[in-house]
Structures are given as structure tokens and as C-alpha cells.
Amino acid sequence: MDTPNWLDDEEQLAWRAYLDATRLLLQTLDRQLSRDSNISFTDFELLVLLSEAPDRRMRMSDLADAVTTTRGGVTRAVTRLVDAGWAQRVLCEDDKRGTLAQLTDAGANKLAESSPGHVATVRACMFDALGKDDVRVIGRAFSDIRTDMQHKK
């Protein structure tokens, strides 16, 4: 068996800082959205994706891929959105077996109402701690990581 290519001290520090910061940021964003707007971060993310999609609709499988969750997980999440009146299910016109999730006007209103507090929290927890050069560096770095991982699928 090959010897693992262990992380060096600098890589280990970067990896742990990334994990800790990511966990704390996601927990903080979820708490803020739940407290101020009575919506989870996951549901907010789905509303954003639907709002940006053509005709405010996406295939369920594409939603699952976009939020990197299972098909079952996105089905349960969309069910919450439908029950809240923020989305509806629509049959896919070109594939009668497929289902789309579509943002409703109530969902668009919920997103508009929730967004100012969310973006203020993102800014306070992430961007206020960084300089412009830092933002460019991490933006480029995480774009590169995302692209590399997408090619490895």
C-alpha cells in the first residue's frame, strides 16, 4: 500500500481554517435566516436558484446537483417550499416523466424579504474581514477548486 501524501503544516492549517470557517459561516447564515425570516439556509438557497433560472423553474435533478444534495433531499426541500406556497411543481413539457420546481410570486416575495438581512450577514461574517486583494485571491482559488472538482465527476 502506498504511503499517504500527508498535508504539510501550512496545508493542514489552511484546511482546518477553511473547515472551521465554512461550518461557522453556514451555521451563522442558517441561524440569521431562521431568526429573521423564518426560512432555512437550504430553502433560501433553493429560492435563489429558482429565481435565477429561466422562467424561474428548474428540473428537480438539476436543483439537486446545484445544491450538491441527493434527489431525495431536494424532493423533501421542494416539498417544504410547495407547502409554504413559495414554489410549485410543474410537469416537464419535453419529458412527461420529469418534474420541475417553479418559483411562485410568494416565493419571490419571500426571497426579496429575506435577502437584505442575509447579504448583510454574509458581508459582516466574510467580506468585512477581508481586503479587496484577499477577495480576489479566494474567489480565484475556489473557482479553480470548483472547476477541478467538476471535471473529476
Side-chain angles (χ1 to χ4, degrees):
M1 188 169 200
D2 292 332
T3 303
N5 185 12
W6 298 110
L7 302 179
D8 65 30
D9 290 345
E10 188 173 25
E11 291 168 333
Q12 186 70 250
L13 180 67
W15 173 241
R16 296 279 173 95
Y18 164 78
L19 284 178
D20 291 344
T22 300
R23 286 184 192 118
L24 289 168
L25 181 61
L26 293 176
Q27 289 170 1
T28 299
L29 294 174
D30 192 59
R31 275 195 310 272
Q32 178 275 318
L33 284 164
S34 295
R35 180 190 66 234
D36 298 346
S37 300
N38 199 30
I39 186 171
S40 71
F41 179 73
T42 299
D43 292 352
F44 179 85
E45 186 178 23
L46 290 171
L47 293 181
V48 169
L49 289 167
L50 291 173
S51 76
E52 295 172 343
D55 298 322
R56 301 187 329 182
R57 59 171 66 173
M58 288 178 72
R59 290 183 75 90
M60 297 289 283
S61 58
D62 293 337
L63 268 178
D65 291 343
V67 295
T68 62
T69 189
T70 63
R71 305 271 157 96
V74 85
T75 297
R76 287 186 296 279
V78 169
T79 296
R80 285 193 307 272
L81 299 181
V82 168
D83 290 348
W86 302 333
Q88 61 187 4
R89 285 190 176 85
V90 179
L91 289 178
C92 185
E93 291 130 13
D94 58 330
D95 175 7
K96 297 300 180 197
R97 294 172 298 159
T99 304
L100 305 170
Q102 183 172 20
L103 185 69
T104 63
D105 289 342
N109 291 338
K110 184 64 173 181
L111 182 60
E113 160 202 315
S114 305
S115 292
H118 172 73
V119 77
T121 304
V122 169
R123 181 165 301 289
C125 292
M126 184 169 173
F127 294 106
D128 287 353
L130 301 172
K132 290 290 184 192
D133 289 340
D134 297 327
V135 172
R136 279 189 285 280
V137 168
I138 67 169
R140 186 174 53 250
F142 286 112
S143 292
D144 290 349
I145 292 167
R146 177 183 56 213
T147 299
D148 184 63
M149 292 178 73
Q150 287 171 332
H151 287 108
K152 291 178 180 176
K153 276 186 174 180

